[in-house]
Amino acid sequence: MTIAVSRIEEKLYQNRYLVDSGRPHIKVRAHSKPSTNLLALTRVCPAQCYELNDNGQVEITADGCMECGTCRLLCEASGEIEWNYPRGGFGVLFKFG
């Protein structure tokens, strides 16, 4: 018996994303030193949209965001990110639901 193991990257590949150029729905507010929660986004975002740049700042590339709300739970209340739903017709397009 063979067990198929699928990776999250293979599943994410099934989704499509319509980019709203110049109008990202998530923005990281300017910070001198990222908080623990902001740093956590570089590890817990399922689409890996957050990364640490060479200056030690957390940046986001919203292209590919699954709009799961993880970043909202961790950082929106503190004001570290600004999150809005994408404009109609833009954002993630789930292939299987």
Side-chain angles (χ1 to χ4, degrees):
M1 181 166 99
T2 304
I3 298 174
V5 178
S6 61
R7 297 169 42 115
I8 192 166
E9 291 84 4
E10 293 168 358
K11 297 206 180 279
L12 289 174
Y13 180 75
Q14 300 295 319
N15 299 327
R16 295 295 175 251
Y17 194 86
L18 186 57
V19 177
D20 192 359
S21 296
R23 296 183 69 170
H25 70 284
I26 305 172
K27 296 178 185 173
V28 176
R29 298 240 168 102
H31 53 280
S32 56
K33 181 181 177 190
S35 70
T36 303
N37 282 355
L38 200 52
L39 283 172
L41 289 178
T42 63
R43 296 183 308 278
V44 300
C45 175
Q48 300 176 352
C49 293
Y50 294 86
E51 63 183 10
L52 207 56
N53 69 16
D54 293 337
N55 297 323
Q57 305 295 300
V58 174
E59 294 180 336
I60 182 169
T61 303
D63 306 356
C65 172
M66 297 185 333
E67 301 167 31
C68 67
T70 301
C71 58
R72 290 182 76 183
L73 290 172
L74 285 174
C75 296
E76 189 176 41
S78 65
E80 295 174 288
I81 65 164
E82 182 181 329
W83 198 100
N84 295 294
Y85 285 102
R87 290 189 307 153
F90 293 95
V92 67
L93 307 168
F94 293 106
K95 183 173 182 180
F96 297 109

